[in-house]
Amino acid sequence: MSYRPAPDQGHDIDRNALYRRITLRLIPFIFICYLFNYLDRVNVGFAKLQMLDALKFSETIYGLGAGIFFIGYVLCGLPSNLALNRFGPRRWIALMMIAWGTLSTCLLFVTTPMEFYVLRLFTGAAEAGFFPGIVLYLSRWFPAQRRGRIMALFMSAIPVSGLLGGPFSGWILNHFAAGQGGLAGWQWMFLIQGVPTVVLGCLAIVLLSDGYAKAGWLTPAQRQAVEADLNADAAAKPKTASDSLLSVLANPLIWTFGFIYFCIQSGVYAINFWLPSIIKNMGFDDALLIGWLSAIPYLLAGLFMLLVGRSADLRNERRWHLVVPMLMGAVGLLMAVNFAHSPVIAILGLSIATMGALTGLPMFWPMPTALLTAGTAVAGLAIINSVGQMAGFLSPYLVGWIKDQTGSTDVALYSLAGLIVVGSLVALRVSRSS
């Protein structure tokens, strides 16, 4: 995964200034889009604090509803990414955002488990191509050497969504707890957090460029420099006999990467969907206080993510910058389980778990994007993401079912911590042999 300097094309261009310009043009808007993407996906974790009592849902119903989102996500991930490649990122990203924003907002009308399941399923299908599409999109703007930091900047939207979304969601639940305008607090939350996504989808048509070749805000020399850097990356990648869909499906490396990503996401979604409930079980009842306490792990995770991303690029090292955060995620979950009686230590454990699990996400993606050819990446990244996102179904459902059966989340969190450790060992082996 070493980076080779580009040929002479665009040699007179200041690469740092060029990629800084591209970053400032693309990343802030994509960051905001992903922030709302993640918030719309996991805000049911806060809605749960009122929604279950209001609708008489069990923990298992909630876990299934939270997780069924990812069935639609997995089923539509590959076709959505192929459609993005066919119709162009600008239009397809806009369409996806308008669709999932509308569906997420409609969760405020839910009254039965079936309505909850159906809306979550279709919201997952609408979101399916967004993340792998953005990963593919960024890989066509930035060479491999710069992707660790770029992915960390982009994916720092996850902890920021927790940092801002936790207190904001808690405030909404408290402020509208008595019901205003005929809506309960959890209904207002879906409305207030869903509508901005639709607006951002409309703005994507105007603010995004389909690629560097069509970016009128770059000079011809700058476009040539980007092309030279990406061509140098392509020349350094392993050659494959075919980039057909069948060859991609038969590629064991893709499924190995999918398993590693599944292990990372198992920890991430356990934290995202259950963090408010875990904090509540420590003895905190006020929704706003729960929101502020849940923001602590996300604040630390955001800072840690950016530091590790910078370190990975400066050292051009990927293996340990992925494996160490994954192991942190497992250790943090174990701390949270074993010291649940001590809120300070438990929140410290949750913070370590969140820092590790969330940092594993951006540290993972430079590996497959550096190793997969351009043709393989279109389908390969979607498959990897879809396999990983299956954890989004398993993790919340497993935790909810075990809690209903045992009255505790401990066994589920132990299992998920063990899975993260297995994934880190596989990642260590793959990155060593790559």
Side-chain angles (χ1 to χ4, degrees):
M1 276 178 273
S2 61
Y3 175 74
R4 301 196 308 180
D8 288 339
Q9 299 102 309
H11 66 278
D12 56 336
I13 296 294
D14 182 338
R15 290 308 203 271
N16 289 332
L18 168 60
Y19 288 109
R20 190 181 306 116
R21 182 179 186 184
I22 295 173
T23 299
L24 291 173
R25 178 68 183 236
L26 298 181
I27 297 302
F29 179 71
I30 292 175
F31 174 93
I32 294 171
C33 291
Y34 193 46
L35 189 154
F36 277 95
N37 171 256
Y38 217 80
L39 190 60
D40 287 345
R41 185 184 307 181
V42 303
N43 59 8
V44 290
F46 267 93
K48 173 181 181 286
L49 299 176
Q50 293 182 354
M51 189 178 183
L52 265 61
D53 288 337
L55 301 180
K56 310 302 180 187
F57 287 178
S58 69
E59 297 283 352
T60 303
I61 289 173
Y62 165 75
L64 180 57
I68 204 170
F69 169 100
F70 297 94
I71 301 297
Y73 194 105
V74 169
L75 291 175
C76 295
L78 177 56
S80 184
N81 224 36
L82 294 175
L84 181 143
N85 195 56
R86 169 68 177 82
F87 298 109
R90 185 170 58 92
R91 285 176 291 179
W92 194 253
I93 287 172
L95 179 62
M96 285 189 292
M97 295 188 69
I98 293 169
W100 96 60
T102 301
L103 290 166
S104 181
T105 303
C106 286
L107 282 167
L108 69 91
F109 299 115
V110 163
T111 57
T112 68
M114 185 56 65
E115 292 171 354
F116 184 41
Y117 299 154
V118 170
L119 274 175
R120 288 287 293 174
L121 179 70
F122 282 103
T123 304
E127 285 191 28
F130 180 76
F131 178 77
I134 292 294
V135 172
L136 181 65
Y137 183 64
L138 293 177
S139 73
R140 294 177 176 178
W141 285 89
F142 296 93
Q145 186 192 35
R146 299 177 183 269
R147 285 182 204 151
R149 194 177 309 179
I150 290 301
M151 288 303 300
L153 282 172
F154 160 52
M155 297 190 72
S156 63
I158 298 176
V160 171
S161 72
L163 174 64
L164 301 179
F168 185 45
S169 298
W171 177 83
I172 293 173
L173 293 179
N174 269 8
H175 184 74
F176 294 100
Q180 297 184 26
L183 300 178
W186 62 272
Q187 293 174 305
W188 274 108
M189 192 185 71
F190 285 128
L191 177 65
I192 292 171
Q193 295 178 357
V195 170
T197 301
V198 178
V199 176
L200 288 168
C202 297
L203 290 175
I205 292 288
V206 179
L207 297 179
L208 291 181
S209 304
D210 276 326
Y212 68 88
K214 296 182 179 180
W217 42 272
L218 292 177
T219 67
Q222 288 173 330
R223 290 195 290 270
Q224 186 182 41
V226 174
E227 182 177 17
D229 289 349
L230 296 179
N231 285 342
D233 265 1
K237 291 181 179 180
K239 301 298 186 291
T240 57
S242 170
D243 284 333
S244 69
L245 181 57
L246 287 178
S247 71
V248 173
L249 291 170
N251 188 335
L253 186 61
I254 287 174
W255 296 104
T256 303
F257 278 134
F259 174 74
I260 297 169
Y261 197 50
F262 177 89
C263 295
I264 298 171
Q265 290 284 30
S266 293
V268 169
Y269 285 117
I271 293 166
N272 286 335
F273 285 117
W274 290 93
L275 181 60
S277 296
I278 292 171
I279 293 175
K280 183 178 181 179
N281 291 337
M282 293 176 188
F284 301 100
D285 294 319
D286 182 77
L288 183 57
L289 178 59
I290 292 172
W292 281 112
L293 290 175
S294 70
I296 295 173
Y298 287 111
L299 172 62
L300 296 175
L303 296 173
F304 187 66
M305 183 183 289
L306 294 175
L307 289 173
V308 174
R310 179 178 175 82
S311 172
D313 278 355
L314 288 175
R315 291 167 176 77
N316 198 24
E317 198 283 330
R318 304 297 177 193
R319 182 196 310 169
W320 292 107
H321 284 82
L322 170 62
V323 171
V324 170
M326 289 181 69
L327 293 175
M328 285 176 59
V331 170
L333 284 177
L334 294 177
M335 283 181 62
V337 171
N338 286 288
F339 293 94
H341 59 280
S342 175
V344 173
I345 299 178
I347 290 175
L348 175 62
L350 288 172
S351 297
I352 293 172
T354 307
M355 291 165 66
L358 294 188
T359 299
L361 296 174
M363 292 303 98
F364 167 80
W365 284 105
M367 291 172 57
T369 57
L371 290 174
L372 301 179
T373 64
T376 303
V378 174
L381 294 178
I383 293 171
I384 292 168
N385 186 59
S386 293
V387 172
Q389 295 296 348
M390 290 174 65
F393 173 76
L394 173 67
S395 183
Y397 181 67
L398 176 68
V399 176
W401 181 81
I402 289 178
K403 186 175 182 183
D404 271 346
Q405 301 304 310
T406 67
S408 171
T409 59
D410 291 4
V411 174
L413 295 180
Y414 277 127
S415 302
L416 294 173
L419 186 60
I420 296 171
V421 172
V422 172
S424 69
L425 296 177
V426 176
L428 194 61
R429 184 172 184 273
V430 170
S431 57
R432 181 186 294 118
S433 60
S434 298

